[in-house]
Amino acid sequence: MAVAMGAEELAAFLDEVFPQVRGDFVIEHVEECAVRVRMPVAERHLRPGGTVSGPAMFALADVSVYIAVMAMVGREALAVTTGGSFDFMRKPMAGADLICECRLLKLGRVLAVGECLIFSDGGAEPVARASMTYSIPPKR
């Protein structure tokens, strides 16, 4: 299956359909069924104690799977998350952006399953792992 949308087109699409996250994520790489997305960590992403909050990391994984699905199926804004599982494995490095390496494990007609590993930029070990399922609306 060929990639339907590249990084620039995906970024423009994300800005169009989700303007509320404009500037929060940078699509660094797109290939068949896989993407790498950066979240530049800002003060608003931190929780007490100075580490990146769980909701911020969840958002990175969720958006990354959405981007991976869109990269393969094209402009389908109504695809929605139907399930998610998240494991926090270690504290992110202070002051480092987060990098999500996402791959689609299954891309069917109506469901997609993605797996994400989230790293601190420059870190070798993942700080979190996520599994997300997306529902893709049927073609009309």
Side-chain angles (χ1 to χ4, degrees), residues 72-135:
M72 298 308 297
V73 303
R75 298 173 63 89
E76 188 53 71
L78 297 179
V80 295
T81 310
T82 60
S85 172
F86 214 92
D87 296 307
F88 299 97
M89 299 188 292
R90 55 190 50 83
K91 184 177 177 179
M93 293 172 13
D97 289 350
L98 292 182
I99 308 294
C100 182
E101 295 183 0
C102 172
R103 66 187 178 111
L104 297 179
L105 304 176
K106 174 191 184 334
L107 180 60
R109 287 181 296 108
V110 294
L111 283 181
V113 177
E115 177 180 69
C116 299
L117 290 176
I118 298 176
F119 297 85
S120 288
D121 190 19
E125 298 293 323
V127 300
R129 183 205 67 81
S131 174
M132 310 291 287
T133 303
Y134 262 79
S135 175

Side-chain angles (χ1 to χ4, degrees), residues 58-80:
F58 189 93
L60 174 58
D62 193 26
V63 166
S64 295
V65 175
Y66 183 80
I67 290 167
V69 171
M70 294 305 102
M72 298 308 297
V73 303
R75 298 173 63 89
E76 188 53 71
L78 297 179
V80 295

Side-chain angles (χ1 to χ4, degrees), residues 5 8 13 16 22 25 32 60 87 90 139:
M5 296 172 71
E8 287 182 16
F13 177 69
E16 175 189 326
R22 183 175 284 124
F25 306 101
E32 185 177 342
L60 174 58
D87 296 307
R90 55 190 50 83
K139 299 286 185 201

